[in-house]
Protein backbone atom coordinates (compact mmCIF):
# COMPACT_ATOMS: atom_id res chain seq x y z
CA UNK A 1 0.00 0.00 0.00
CA UNK A 2 1.28 3.46 -0.83
CA UNK A 3 -0.26 6.87 -0.62
CA UNK A 4 1.13 10.37 -0.99
CA UNK A 5 -0.23 12.76 1.58
CA UNK A 6 -0.08 16.51 1.65
CA UNK A 7 -2.02 19.71 1.77
CA UNK A 8 -4.27 21.03 -0.96
CA UNK A 9 -1.79 23.60 -2.24
CA UNK A 10 0.27 22.74 -5.32
CA UNK A 11 3.96 22.02 -5.00
CA UNK A 12 4.72 25.04 -7.11
CA UNK A 13 3.22 27.39 -4.57
CA UNK A 14 5.45 26.10 -1.75
CA UNK A 15 8.89 27.43 -0.97
CA UNK A 16 9.95 23.99 0.27
CA UNK A 17 8.53 20.49 -0.08
CA UNK A 18 9.69 17.99 2.51
CA UNK A 19 9.33 14.35 1.54
CA UNK A 20 8.84 11.75 4.26
CA UNK A 21 8.60 7.99 3.74
CA UNK A 22 6.81 6.28 6.65
CA UNK A 23 5.82 2.79 7.73
CA UNK A 24 2.20 1.74 8.16
CA UNK A 25 1.35 0.66 11.71
CA UNK A 26 -2.31 0.01 10.99
CA UNK A 27 -3.85 -3.40 10.37
CA UNK A 28 -6.71 -2.14 8.16
CA UNK A 29 -7.67 0.83 6.01
CA UNK A 30 -9.59 2.22 8.99
CA UNK A 31 -6.47 2.76 11.10
CA UNK A 32 -3.79 3.14 8.45
CA UNK A 33 -0.92 5.45 9.31
CA UNK A 34 -1.98 7.44 6.25
CA UNK A 35 -4.71 9.02 8.38
CA UNK A 36 -2.30 9.97 11.16
CA UNK A 37 0.19 11.58 8.79
CA UNK A 38 -2.47 13.31 6.68
CA UNK A 39 -3.89 15.09 9.73
CA UNK A 40 -0.40 15.92 10.99
CA UNK A 41 0.74 17.30 7.62
CA UNK A 42 -2.37 19.42 7.16
CA UNK A 43 -2.09 20.90 10.65
CA UNK A 44 1.57 21.75 10.16
CA UNK A 45 1.07 23.21 6.68
CA UNK A 46 -1.75 25.46 7.87
CA UNK A 47 0.68 27.14 10.26
CA UNK A 48 3.61 27.09 7.80
CA UNK A 49 2.32 28.26 4.39
CA UNK A 50 5.80 28.11 2.86
CA UNK A 51 6.22 24.38 3.49
CA UNK A 52 4.49 21.35 2.00
CA UNK A 53 4.82 17.91 3.57
CA UNK A 54 4.58 14.96 1.21
CA UNK A 55 4.32 11.63 3.02
CA UNK A 56 4.44 8.27 1.28
CA UNK A 57 3.21 5.42 3.47
CA UNK A 58 4.25 1.82 2.77
CA UNK A 59 3.65 -1.47 4.54
CA UNK A 60 6.37 -2.79 6.83
CA UNK A 61 7.03 -5.48 4.23
CA UNK A 62 8.09 -2.82 1.72
CA UNK A 63 9.12 0.39 3.45
CA UNK A 64 12.80 -0.38 4.22
CA UNK A 65 13.40 -1.64 0.70
CA UNK A 66 11.60 1.40 -0.77
CA UNK A 67 13.86 3.83 1.09
CA UNK A 68 16.96 1.89 0.05
CA UNK A 69 15.79 1.99 -3.56
CA UNK A 70 15.31 5.78 -3.38
CA UNK A 71 18.70 6.36 -1.75
CA UNK A 72 20.50 4.06 -4.21
CA UNK A 73 18.88 5.95 -7.11
CA UNK A 74 20.13 9.27 -5.74
CA UNK A 75 16.71 10.48 -4.66
CA UNK A 76 16.80 10.19 -0.90
CA UNK A 77 13.74 11.47 0.94
CA UNK A 78 14.22 14.28 3.43
CA UNK A 79 12.94 12.04 6.23
CA UNK A 80 12.40 8.31 6.64
CA UNK A 81 10.55 6.56 9.44
CA UNK A 82 11.65 2.92 9.15
CA UNK A 83 13.24 0.04 11.05
CA UNK A 84 17.00 0.71 10.86
CA UNK A 85 19.32 3.66 10.41
CA UNK A 86 22.89 2.44 10.96
CA UNK A 87 23.83 1.72 7.33
CA UNK A 88 22.80 5.21 6.23
CA UNK A 89 24.60 6.81 9.18
CA UNK A 90 27.79 4.86 8.50
CA UNK A 91 27.65 5.94 4.84
CA UNK A 92 27.51 9.60 5.89
CA UNK A 93 24.03 10.18 4.48
CA UNK A 94 22.23 11.36 7.65
CA UNK A 95 22.19 14.55 9.67
CA UNK A 96 23.16 14.04 13.31
CA UNK A 97 20.07 14.45 15.46
CA UNK A 98 21.64 17.55 17.05
CA UNK A 99 21.74 19.26 13.63
CA UNK A 100 17.97 19.07 13.17
CA UNK A 101 16.26 18.75 16.57
CA UNK A 102 15.90 21.62 18.98
CA UNK A 103 17.72 21.17 22.29
CA UNK A 104 14.35 20.86 24.03
CA UNK A 105 13.11 18.09 21.73
CA UNK A 106 16.37 16.16 21.86
CA UNK A 107 16.44 16.39 25.67
CA UNK A 108 12.85 15.09 25.87
CA UNK A 109 13.72 11.82 24.09
CA UNK A 110 14.10 8.90 26.50
CA UNK A 111 17.82 8.50 27.12
CA UNK A 112 18.13 4.75 26.56
CA UNK A 113 16.38 5.13 23.20
CA UNK A 114 18.59 8.05 22.19
CA UNK A 115 21.66 6.04 23.21
CA UNK A 116 20.52 3.19 20.96
CA UNK A 117 20.33 5.72 18.12
CA UNK A 118 24.06 6.40 18.22
CA UNK A 119 26.81 5.37 15.83
CA UNK A 120 30.30 6.02 17.25
CA UNK A 121 28.85 8.22 20.02
CA UNK A 122 26.84 10.48 17.67
CA UNK A 123 23.07 10.14 17.52
CA UNK A 124 21.63 9.70 14.03
CA UNK A 125 18.63 7.48 14.74
CA UNK A 126 15.73 9.38 16.32
CA UNK A 127 13.39 6.97 18.13
CA UNK A 128 9.84 7.18 16.81
CA UNK A 129 7.96 4.31 18.46
CA UNK A 130 8.87 1.82 21.18
CA UNK A 131 7.63 -1.33 22.83
CA UNK A 132 8.83 -3.74 25.49
CA UNK A 133 8.07 -7.37 26.36
CA UNK A 134 6.38 -8.89 29.38
CA UNK A 135 5.36 -12.44 30.28
CA UNK A 136 1.71 -13.09 29.38
CA UNK A 137 -0.13 -15.91 31.11
CA UNK A 138 -3.58 -17.42 30.61
CA UNK A 139 -5.52 -16.80 33.84
CA UNK A 140 -8.06 -19.54 33.13
CA UNK A 141 -5.41 -22.21 32.54
CA UNK A 142 -3.43 -21.07 35.57
CA UNK A 143 -6.52 -21.30 37.79
CA UNK A 144 -7.26 -24.83 36.55
CA UNK A 145 -3.69 -25.86 37.32
CA UNK A 146 -3.75 -24.13 40.71
CA UNK A 147 -0.63 -22.08 40.04
CA UNK A 148 0.51 -18.47 40.29
CA UNK A 149 2.64 -16.41 37.86
CA UNK A 150 6.36 -17.23 38.08
CA UNK A 151 9.05 -14.91 39.41
CA UNK A 152 12.04 -17.21 38.75
CA UNK A 153 13.03 -19.72 36.09
CA UNK A 154 12.45 -22.63 38.45
CA UNK A 155 8.93 -21.40 39.15
CA UNK A 156 8.34 -20.98 35.41
CA UNK A 157 9.41 -24.59 34.80
CA UNK A 158 7.23 -25.83 37.68
CA UNK A 159 4.26 -23.88 36.32
CA UNK A 160 4.88 -25.34 32.88
CA UNK A 161 4.91 -28.87 34.37
CA UNK A 162 1.58 -28.20 36.10
CA UNK A 163 0.07 -26.85 32.87
CA UNK A 164 1.33 -29.86 30.92
CA UNK A 165 -0.29 -32.20 33.45
CA UNK A 166 -3.61 -30.49 32.72
CA UNK A 167 -3.25 -31.10 29.01
CA UNK A 168 -2.24 -27.59 27.95
CA UNK A 169 -0.87 -27.76 24.40
CA UNK A 170 1.90 -25.18 24.86
CA UNK A 171 2.77 -24.82 28.57
CA UNK A 172 5.43 -22.26 27.62
CA UNK A 173 5.55 -21.18 23.96
CA UNK A 174 9.18 -20.67 22.89
CA UNK A 175 9.18 -19.12 19.38
CA UNK A 176 12.72 -19.53 18.10
CA UNK A 177 11.58 -19.83 14.49
CA UNK A 178 12.90 -17.59 11.71
CA UNK A 179 10.26 -14.86 12.03
CA UNK A 180 11.52 -13.20 15.22
CA UNK A 181 13.87 -15.56 17.04
CA UNK A 182 16.26 -12.71 17.82
CA UNK A 183 13.61 -11.19 20.13
CA UNK A 184 12.81 -14.29 22.20
CA UNK A 185 16.52 -15.03 22.38
CA UNK A 186 17.38 -11.58 23.70
CA UNK A 187 14.63 -11.66 26.33
CA UNK A 188 16.06 -14.91 27.73
CA UNK A 189 19.66 -13.69 27.52
CA UNK A 190 18.76 -10.60 29.58
CA UNK A 191 17.25 -12.78 32.31
CA UNK A 192 20.22 -15.10 32.75
CA UNK A 193 22.76 -15.59 35.53
CA UNK A 194 24.33 -12.46 37.05
CA UNK A 195 21.91 -10.24 35.17
CA UNK A 196 22.47 -11.89 31.80
CA UNK A 197 24.80 -10.51 29.15
CA UNK A 198 22.57 -9.90 26.13
CA UNK A 199 24.13 -9.77 22.69
CA UNK A 200 26.86 -7.25 23.56
CA UNK A 201 28.76 -5.91 26.55
CA UNK A 202 28.74 -2.33 27.81
CA UNK A 203 31.17 -1.15 25.15
CA UNK A 204 29.34 -2.81 22.28
CA UNK A 205 31.46 -5.94 21.76
CA UNK A 206 29.46 -9.06 20.88
CA UNK A 207 29.25 -11.52 23.79
CA UNK A 208 26.88 -14.11 22.28
CA UNK A 209 28.85 -17.10 23.59
CA UNK A 210 29.39 -15.74 27.11
CA UNK A 211 29.27 -18.19 30.00
CA UNK A 212 25.92 -16.70 31.11
CA UNK A 213 24.38 -17.06 27.64
CA UNK A 214 25.54 -20.66 27.23
CA UNK A 215 24.08 -21.37 30.67
CA UNK A 216 20.77 -19.81 29.65
CA UNK A 217 20.36 -21.94 26.54
CA UNK A 218 21.55 -25.06 28.34
CA UNK A 219 18.79 -24.48 30.90
CA UNK A 220 16.19 -23.94 28.18
CA UNK A 221 17.26 -27.12 26.39
CA UNK A 222 17.36 -29.29 29.50
CA UNK A 223 14.57 -27.88 31.69
CA UNK A 224 11.92 -26.72 29.21
CA UNK A 225 12.38 -28.15 25.72
CA UNK A 226 13.86 -31.49 26.80
CA UNK A 227 10.99 -32.06 29.25
CA UNK A 228 8.32 -31.45 26.65
CA UNK A 229 7.14 -28.17 28.18
CA UNK A 230 7.26 -26.04 25.01
CA UNK A 231 4.55 -27.74 22.98
CA UNK A 232 4.29 -29.99 19.93
CA UNK A 233 6.18 -27.70 17.50
CA UNK A 234 9.97 -27.59 17.77
CA UNK A 235 10.99 -24.10 19.00
CA UNK A 236 13.18 -23.65 15.93
CA UNK A 237 10.08 -24.02 13.75
CA UNK A 238 7.67 -22.02 15.92
CA UNK A 239 7.19 -18.43 14.76
CA UNK A 240 6.00 -15.57 16.93
CA UNK A 241 2.80 -15.02 14.93
CA UNK A 242 1.86 -18.69 15.34
CA UNK A 243 2.59 -18.56 19.08
CA UNK A 244 0.50 -15.40 19.49
CA UNK A 245 -2.39 -16.95 17.57
CA UNK A 246 -2.21 -20.07 19.74
CA UNK A 247 -2.29 -17.90 22.88
CA UNK A 248 -5.37 -16.09 21.56
CA UNK A 249 -6.95 -19.52 20.95
CA UNK A 250 -6.40 -20.49 24.60
CA UNK A 251 -3.74 -23.12 23.82
CA UNK A 252 -0.74 -21.44 25.49
CA UNK A 253 -0.07 -21.15 29.22
CA UNK A 254 2.73 -18.57 29.06
CA UNK A 255 4.79 -16.66 26.51
CA UNK A 256 6.68 -13.40 26.05
CA UNK A 257 4.58 -10.80 24.29
CA UNK A 258 4.30 -7.15 23.32
CA UNK A 259 1.26 -4.82 23.42
CA UNK A 260 -0.28 -6.16 20.20
CA UNK A 261 -1.00 -9.46 21.95
CA UNK A 262 -3.34 -7.72 24.40
CA UNK A 263 -5.74 -6.78 21.63
CA UNK A 264 -5.39 -10.13 19.87
CA UNK A 265 -6.17 -12.11 23.03
CA UNK A 266 -8.98 -9.78 24.15
CA UNK A 267 -10.74 -10.14 20.78
CA UNK A 268 -10.89 -13.92 21.35
CA UNK A 269 -12.08 -13.54 24.95
CA UNK A 270 -8.91 -14.91 26.57
CA UNK A 271 -8.46 -13.80 30.18
CA UNK A 272 -4.80 -13.00 30.60
CA UNK A 273 -2.39 -11.45 33.06
CA UNK A 274 1.02 -9.85 32.54
CA UNK A 275 4.11 -9.93 34.78
CA UNK A 276 7.78 -9.03 34.29
CA UNK A 277 9.91 -11.73 32.68
CA UNK A 278 11.31 -13.99 35.44
CA UNK A 279 15.06 -14.13 35.91
CA UNK A 280 17.22 -17.05 36.95
CA UNK A 281 16.75 -16.20 40.62
CA UNK A 282 14.35 -13.26 40.51
CA UNK A 283 13.02 -10.59 38.16
CA UNK A 284 15.12 -10.20 35.00
CA UNK A 285 17.65 -7.36 35.04
CA UNK A 286 16.07 -5.78 32.00
CA UNK A 287 13.24 -6.23 29.56
CA UNK A 288 13.90 -6.24 25.86
CA UNK A 289 13.02 -2.94 24.25
CA UNK A 290 12.36 -2.37 20.56
CA UNK A 291 12.36 0.96 18.75
CA UNK A 292 11.57 2.12 15.23
CA UNK A 293 13.45 5.09 13.89
CA UNK A 294 13.15 8.47 12.24
CA UNK A 295 16.14 9.75 10.28
CA UNK A 296 16.93 12.92 8.34
CA UNK A 297 18.83 12.63 5.06
CA UNK A 298 21.37 15.31 4.11
CA UNK A 299 21.01 15.04 0.32
CA UNK A 300 18.41 17.77 -0.19
CA UNK A 301 19.53 20.15 2.55
CA UNK A 302 16.58 21.78 4.38
CA UNK A 303 18.03 21.04 7.83
CA UNK A 304 16.21 23.97 9.44
CA UNK A 305 12.86 23.07 7.86
CA UNK A 306 13.29 19.41 8.73
CA UNK A 307 14.09 20.32 12.31
CA UNK A 308 11.09 22.58 12.69
CA UNK A 309 8.77 19.87 11.35
CA UNK A 310 10.34 17.24 13.63
CA UNK A 311 9.88 19.48 16.66
CA UNK A 312 6.17 19.49 15.75
CA UNK A 313 6.08 15.70 15.19
CA UNK A 314 7.69 15.13 18.60
CA UNK A 315 5.41 17.48 20.55
CA UNK A 316 3.74 15.77 23.51
CA UNK A 317 0.31 15.95 21.88
CA UNK A 318 1.42 14.24 18.67
CA UNK A 319 3.56 11.58 20.36
CA UNK A 320 0.63 10.66 22.61
CA UNK A 321 -1.82 10.57 19.70
CA UNK A 322 0.37 8.17 17.74
CA UNK A 323 1.14 5.95 20.74
CA UNK A 324 -2.51 5.66 21.71
CA UNK A 325 -3.65 4.94 18.17
CA UNK A 326 -1.29 1.99 17.73
CA UNK A 327 -0.80 0.67 21.27
CA UNK A 328 2.87 1.65 21.37
CA UNK A 329 5.00 3.35 24.00
CA UNK A 330 5.88 7.06 23.82
CA UNK A 331 9.52 7.84 23.06
CA UNK A 332 9.59 11.13 24.99
CA UNK A 333 9.67 11.74 28.73
CA UNK A 334 6.83 14.26 28.58
CA UNK A 335 4.44 11.87 26.81
CA UNK A 336 5.53 8.93 28.98
CA UNK A 337 4.83 10.88 32.16
CA UNK A 338 1.40 11.89 30.89
CA UNK A 339 0.54 8.32 29.90
CA UNK A 340 1.76 6.93 33.25
CA UNK A 341 -0.50 9.33 35.17
CA UNK A 342 -3.51 8.92 32.88
CA UNK A 343 -6.77 7.24 33.87
CA UNK A 344 -7.64 6.33 30.26
CA UNK A 345 -8.26 2.58 29.96
CA UNK A 346 -5.95 2.29 26.93
CA UNK A 347 -3.15 4.06 28.80
CA UNK A 348 -3.61 1.91 31.91
CA UNK A 349 -3.36 -1.23 29.76
CA UNK A 350 0.08 -0.13 28.56
CA UNK A 351 1.48 0.52 32.05
CA UNK A 352 3.12 -2.92 32.48
CA UNK A 353 5.07 -2.26 29.27
CA UNK A 354 5.74 1.37 30.15
CA UNK A 355 7.15 0.28 33.52
CA UNK A 356 9.74 -1.87 31.73
CA UNK A 357 10.92 0.87 29.37
CA UNK A 358 13.32 2.81 31.66
CA UNK A 359 15.44 -0.30 32.27
CA UNK A 360 14.92 -1.92 28.87
CA UNK A 361 17.80 -2.92 26.65
CA UNK A 362 17.57 -2.64 22.86
CA UNK A 363 19.17 -4.61 20.07
CA UNK A 364 22.62 -3.26 19.13
CA UNK A 365 21.03 -1.38 16.22
CA UNK A 366 23.86 1.16 16.04
CA UNK A 367 26.14 -1.56 14.67
CA UNK A 368 25.95 -2.01 10.90
CA UNK A 369 26.77 -5.69 11.51
CA UNK A 370 23.55 -6.22 13.51
CA UNK A 371 21.38 -6.98 10.46
CA UNK A 372 23.62 -9.90 9.50
CA UNK A 373 23.93 -11.10 13.10
CA UNK A 374 20.16 -10.95 13.58
CA UNK A 375 19.64 -12.98 10.41
CA UNK A 376 22.10 -15.62 11.66
CA UNK A 377 20.31 -15.85 15.03
CA UNK A 378 16.95 -16.28 13.29
CA UNK A 379 18.37 -19.07 11.15
CA UNK A 380 20.38 -21.02 13.73
CA UNK A 381 19.37 -20.41 17.34
CA UNK A 382 16.63 -23.06 17.33
CA UNK A 383 19.33 -25.71 16.91
CA UNK A 384 20.74 -24.84 20.33
CA UNK A 385 17.70 -26.36 22.07
CA UNK A 386 16.98 -29.17 19.59
CA UNK A 387 17.51 -32.83 20.60
CA UNK A 388 21.21 -33.51 20.29
CA UNK A 389 21.91 -29.82 19.85
CA UNK A 390 24.83 -28.06 21.51
CA UNK A 391 24.05 -24.67 23.07
CA UNK A 392 27.76 -23.85 23.40
CA UNK A 393 28.46 -24.98 19.84
CA UNK A 394 25.65 -22.95 18.30
CA UNK A 395 26.42 -19.81 20.34
CA UNK A 396 30.13 -20.08 19.53
CA UNK A 397 29.36 -20.28 15.79
CA UNK A 398 27.09 -17.24 16.07
CA UNK A 399 29.78 -15.37 18.03
CA UNK A 400 32.42 -16.16 15.40
CA UNK A 401 30.16 -14.92 12.59
CA UNK A 402 29.26 -11.80 14.60
CA UNK A 403 32.88 -10.94 15.34
CA UNK A 404 33.76 -11.41 11.67
CA UNK A 405 30.90 -9.18 10.51
CA UNK A 406 31.82 -6.57 13.09
CA UNK A 407 35.49 -6.44 12.13
CA UNK A 408 34.74 -6.21 8.40
CA UNK A 409 32.33 -3.33 9.04
CA UNK A 410 34.85 -1.57 11.26
CA UNK A 411 37.45 -1.95 8.57
Amino acid sequence: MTAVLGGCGSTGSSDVTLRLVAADYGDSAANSSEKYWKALAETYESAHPGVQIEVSVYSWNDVDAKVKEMVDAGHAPDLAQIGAYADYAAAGKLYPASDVLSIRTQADLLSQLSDAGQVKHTQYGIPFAASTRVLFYNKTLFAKAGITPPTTWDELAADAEALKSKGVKYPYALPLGPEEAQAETMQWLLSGDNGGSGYTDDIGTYTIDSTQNVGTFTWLKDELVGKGLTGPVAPGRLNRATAFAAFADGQVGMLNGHPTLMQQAARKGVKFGMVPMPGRTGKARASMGVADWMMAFKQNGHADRIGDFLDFVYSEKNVLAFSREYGLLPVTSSASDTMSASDKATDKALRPFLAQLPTSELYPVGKTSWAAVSASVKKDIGRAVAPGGSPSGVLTRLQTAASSADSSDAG
Side-chain angles (χ1 to χ4, degrees):
M1 168 170 56
T2 175
V4 177
L5 312 176
C8 298
S10 68
T11 304
S13 65
S14 296
D15 297 329
V16 172
T17 297
L18 295 181
R19 294 178 173 83
L20 163 64
V21 177
D24 191 359
Y25 288 81
D27 56 13
S28 68
N31 70 346
S32 168
S33 296
E34 291 178 39
K35 290 189 173 182
Y36 175 81
W37 285 112
K38 185 173 192 296
L40 206 68
E42 288 176 350
T43 302
Y44 184 80
E45 288 169 351
S46 69
H48 300 79
V51 182
Q52 182 174 6
I53 309 296
E54 282 187 5
V55 186
S56 301
V57 177
Y58 296 92
S59 77
W60 272 111
N61 292 332
D62 304 320
V63 69
D64 289 299
K66 187 64 180 176
V67 171
K68 184 177 187 302
E69 180 184 302
M70 295 169 72
V71 173
D72 289 348
H75 302 295
D78 297 287
L79 291 158
Q81 186 273 296
I82 51 178
Y85 65 84
D87 285 345
Y88 299 123
K93 296 183 182 296
L94 301 180
Y95 284 115
S98 58
D99 283 7
V100 289
L101 296 179
S102 68
I103 293 173
R104 180 178 178 178
T105 298
Q106 195 169 9
D108 196 26
L109 295 169
L110 293 170
S111 60
Q112 75 274 25
L113 301 180
S114 293
D115 290 348
Q118 294 182 0
V119 173
K120 295 181 179 174
H121 309 295
T122 298
Q123 183 186 354
Y124 296 94
I126 306 168
F128 182 73
S131 70
T132 56
R133 303 294 167 100
V134 297
L135 185 74
F136 282 71
Y137 65 97
N138 183 309
K139 287 185 172 181
T140 304
L141 297 179
F142 265 56
K144 286 180 180 174
I147 53 177
T148 56
T151 60
T152 66
W153 287 4
D154 287 345
E155 289 177 7
L156 186 147
D159 283 350
E161 286 278 11
L163 291 162
K164 182 184 179 183
S165 72
K166 294 294 184 182
V168 175
K169 188 173 182 180
Y170 294 91
Y172 178 87
L174 183 67
L176 296 177
E179 179 195 357
E180 206 185 35
Q182 84 285 1
E184 183 74 12
T185 296
M186 183 165 176
Q187 188 65 73
W188 279 97
L189 297 185
L190 292 174
S191 66
D193 279 334
N194 302 314
S197 70
Y199 286 114
T200 61
D201 61 18
D202 291 341
I203 60 171
T205 303
Y206 284 110
T207 55
I208 297 172
D209 64 346
S210 69
T211 302
Q212 297 104 304
N213 291 347
V214 171
T216 293
F217 268 82
T218 300
W219 187 90
L220 282 172
K221 179 177 185 292
D222 294 344
E223 302 302 325
L224 286 188
V225 183
K227 293 183 178 178
L229 302 179
T230 54
V233 180
R237 293 200 297 272
L238 182 66
N239 281 329
R240 178 193 57 82
T242 304
F244 276 22
F247 186 84
D249 286 337
Q251 298 177 336
V252 175
M254 300 172 278
L255 83 170
N256 283 316
H258 52 65
T260 305
L261 184 55
M262 291 192 300
Q263 301 156 355
Q264 197 173 343
R267 281 198 296 266
K268 292 286 194 81
V270 171
K271 292 182 171 63
F272 61 88
M274 298 177 290
V275 294
M277 173 68 181
R280 187 73 184 250
T281 56
K283 196 176 86 168
R285 170 177 63 85
S287 171
M288 190 194 75
V290 178
D292 299 323
W293 303 95
M294 180 74 78
M295 60 214 70
F297 284 88
K298 294 194 294 190
Q299 182 179 325
N300 306 316
H302 308 319
D304 290 344
R305 302 283 192 154
I306 289 170
D308 190 69
F309 177 62
L310 286 178
D311 285 343
F312 175 71
V313 170
Y314 282 90
S315 68
E316 181 183 332
K317 176 183 174 183
N318 289 328
V319 171
L320 277 172
F322 180 84
S323 301
R324 286 166 170 163
E325 177 66 29
Y326 299 107
L328 292 162
L329 303 181
V331 296
T332 61
S333 296
S334 57
S336 291
D337 291 345
T338 298
M339 183 176 278
S340 295
S342 168
D343 287 329
K344 284 177 176 279
T346 50
D347 290 350
K348 284 183 176 179
L350 287 169
R351 280 184 192 166
F353 302 94
L354 204 56
Q356 300 289 316
L357 195 55
T359 58
S360 65
E361 189 168 311
L362 280 73
Y363 300 129
V365 288
K367 298 169 78 67
T368 55
S369 56
W370 169 243
V373 173
S374 177
S376 296
V377 171
K378 291 178 182 181
K379 179 171 175 283
D380 291 334
I381 196 66
R383 298 176 188 175
V385 297
S390 166
S392 62
V394 170
L395 293 177
T396 298
R397 286 198 300 275
L398 289 170
Q399 174 68 28
T400 301
S403 297
S404 175
D406 211 25
S407 59
S408 63
D409 284 335

